[in-house]
Amino acid sequence: MAVPTPSVDPASSSEPTIVVRGGSPLHGEVTVPGAKNSVLKLMAATLLADGTFTFTNVPAIADVAIMSELLAAIGVTTAVGDAGTITLVNDGRLVPVAPYELVEQIRASINVLGPLLGRCGTVRLSLPGGDDFGSRPIDMHLKGLEQMGATFEIRHGYVEAHADRLHGVDITFEFPSVGATENILTAAVYAKGTTVIDNAAREPEISDLCNLLTSMGADIEGIGTSTLVVHGVEVGTLRAADHRTVTDRIQAATYIAAVAVSGGEIVLRGARADHMEVLLRRFRDMGLTIVEQPDGLAVFAERRLHSIDVATLPYPGIATDYKPLIVTMLSVADGVGIVTENLYPGRFRYVEELHRLGADISTDGHHAVVRGRPSLSGARVKAPDIRAGAALVVAGLAADGETTITGVHHIDRGYDDLVGRLVALGAQVARR
Ligand code: EPU
């Protein structure tokens, strides 16, 4: 299969790029990897118990390597095995300090707070970083843990937390925060008594974490619902367990978007329709045919997409992480679509990059109005974050000529061989 020969040499800068030439319909089959936003949390949960954990269906992504480094600094070592397997060893000698150099690189580093506080009673954690699409406070994490008896001081950019022993309480979130739900959950497993988390986030990745914790001996009711009830066990009594990471619904959606703008038909092995119900309904409204198979999804893109209006919401609504893909699809759909962002007001920065590809999008606060064009026009663009980066690759598939994407390190944080998988489907895309 042919890969593009760039007419402009992107190697003129030493920065890695992804070069895409649009216009080839996609055909074939790919396996969707495990979810970044699950495996990073599973890894943090290894702080709770001594022993050896083996996780399978682990995506080969940069954030897993960064989380491994962070855990190594605390006292859990990770070894990478074959075919998406990692083994983590916790020998019980933990240093509950998460340093700035590692924490500032990924938001999920905040997930060490709950387990360390529950197990060690003290944590020193640099305030977290992550994607640059707006303010991402952790007030709900801290407030919930405070209700459970923790005290916090923020000094010199670090959160310093203490708790003799956390105790169970009823916590009602104002908003179903993914990270706050996970931190309260992983702290509550060692709290004295019962913790009830109401208005909990119910993303499939949270259920995946609950399932690991249950295999480790935790007592959790209401998994998959918005009320989680955690009956705490004695500190130190959880045990190591093995676990298969849930498939990544965001990576699955990326391949659906790719075939949607390219035409063709593909099969996504491992994709879970039950984790993407609302999204798949809206994709069908746009004109895609999506058929559930025993182990995945078949997607047929036989005609030009229709425009729709979409608003992002917590799960089971349309995830904010899908939005750059949807905006890209609307850029080449028939009609006008309005996209409303309800989670991160600043998460429209990639729109300027889509403008460079000729997309007709205007934004006003939380809203984007996308007027579909027959096609986009290849250009050099920069990935501002993980999901927007992947969407720019998809946009390149919908563009005439060649699109060169820089800022590839963002895409590598969350996508396991995006280029290789697209090439396997017949796309003209290469890494340079
Ligand atoms: N929020 C607060 N206070 C808090 C916590 C959250 O105001 O204490 C706000 C946030 O600022 C944001 C909203 O609540 O406006 C959602 O935050 P949430 O806590 O639900 O998200 P998160 O745990 O920080 C995870 C994913 C994100 C994904 C969001 C929403 C990880 C590592 N990150 O972030 O994924 O966008 O949930 O679904 O799981 C990505 O993978 O590229 C990514 C950004």
Side-chain angles (χ1 to χ4, degrees), residues 42 45 53 55 207-216 241-243:
L42 302 175
F53 298 73
F55 297 153
S207 300
D208 206 31
L209 174 62
C210 288
N211 291 335
L212 169 68
L213 294 170
T214 304
S215 310
M216 291 167 67
D242 299 340
H243 188 82

Side-chain angles (χ1 to χ4, degrees), residues 3 126 197 302 371:
V3 285
S126 175
I197 311 172
E302 290 148 334
R371 292 184 171 77

Side-chain angles (χ1 to χ4, degrees), residues 36-38 40-41 63 106-111 129-131 133-143 173-182 201 203 205-206 248-250 313-315 318-322 341-345 347 385-388 410 413-415:
K36 166 181 87 80
N37 288 347
S38 187
L40 299 176
K41 325 303 174 66
D63 275 13
I106 51 169
R107 172 76 174 179
S109 51
I110 187 73
N111 279 66
D131 290 298
F133 46 67
S135 161
R136 296 178 73 181
I138 56 166
D139 54 306
M140 288 167 63
H141 304 233
L142 302 188
K143 208 169 143 195
F173 285 136
E174 287 165 35
F175 173 90
S177 156
V178 171
T181 301
E182 291 162 343
E203 273 71 0
E205 298 77 24
I206 296 205
D248 194 329
R249 61 202 164 96
I250 317 289
L313 283 172
Y315 190 85
I318 301 275
T320 174
D321 292 341
Y322 295 135
E341 169 63 57
N342 289 314
L343 279 88
Y344 296 109
R347 208 170 186 182
D385 64 62
I386 305 172
R387 309 302 172 187
H410 288 294
R413 286 189 49 202
Y415 281 83

